[in-house]
Amino acid sequence: MSEAPNPLVIVLMGSKSDWDVMQHCHLTLDQFAIPHECRVLSAHRTPHETTEYVTGAEARGVEVVIAAAGGAAHLAGVAAAHTVLPVLGIPMESASLKGLDSLLSTVQMPGGIPVGTLAIGKAGAINAALLAVAILGGHRPELRDRLRAHRAEQARKILAEKLV
Ligand code: RP5
């Protein structure tokens, strides 16, 4: 577990094997100096602890929940069932179906309990962090300014590309 005293974002993943990818979510949140906590919790293997952790998040001041899982990926849906905080789901790439299983499990929530689902793997991990910053930025103009600067930097890099 990686801890911040008063996290605004919690980042859950179903297994330590997800960390190679999910460290990019953590690093992106760090880039924006967002206090956050990363934890391995599984919808299947630790159902009670997962429920307890997500249920208590709002009272701790958490504003966004990020949940990554692979295969029969229920973690984001289970998290969303236990909180009204926005939940962002990241499908992890799986060995057998390359993450299509994780994508469909995460994205196909029945109407009523939303999970905002990002892309499979690293792109989703980075974008979940950026979307969390945008959500937090709704009432923190300084964060919106940092997002604008981040986009400007990406544009500067693209425009500076030389092919030959
Ligand atoms: C999911 O099962 C995890 O999120 C992970 O992506 C996948 C495989 O987990 P391990 O068998 O590597 O622990 O619950």
Side-chain angles (χ1 to χ4, degrees):
M1 174 160 121
S2 97
E3 284 184 73
N6 299 108
L8 289 176
V9 178
I10 55 175
V11 181
L12 312 183
M13 61 212 82
S15 169
K16 194 175 176 189
S17 65
D18 298 323
W19 179 244
D20 263 5
V21 170
M22 288 307 295
Q23 65 175 317
H24 297 285
C25 182
H26 159 68
L27 292 171
T28 306
L29 290 168
D30 262 359
Q31 231 182 306
F32 286 85
I34 306 295
H36 62 282
E37 193 166 88
C38 299
R39 253 193 103 167
V40 177
L41 278 173
S42 163
H44 317 281
R45 294 160 174 164
T46 60
H48 303 299
E49 292 81 355
T50 302
T51 300
E52 197 177 43
Y53 183 67
V54 174
T55 304
E58 192 180 339
R60 295 176 63 210
V62 171
E63 296 186 29
V64 182
V65 177
I66 294 175
H74 300 138
L75 186 57
V78 166
H82 289 98
T83 184
V84 294
L85 295 173
V87 175
L88 307 179
I90 309 164
M92 293 290 95
E93 188 170 329
S94 55
S96 37
L97 294 173
K98 299 283 171 216
L100 185 59
D101 45 355
S102 325
L103 173 65
L104 296 178
S105 304
T106 306
V107 78
Q108 287 291 5
M109 287 297 288
I113 307 290
V115 167
T117 303
L118 284 299
I120 297 169
K122 182 177 170 184
I126 292 169
N127 281 346
L130 292 173
L131 198 49
V133 176
I135 293 168
L136 297 171
H139 50 102
R140 291 178 182 84
E142 75 283 2
L143 279 183
R144 290 205 297 274
D145 288 344
R146 270 187 252 164
L147 274 174
R148 284 189 197 97
H150 184 261
R151 298 246 176 131
E153 177 59 12
Q154 285 186 104
R156 190 195 61 73
K157 283 185 184 154
I158 293 289
L159 293 172
E161 295 288 10
K162 300 260 187 290
L163 297 178
V164 284

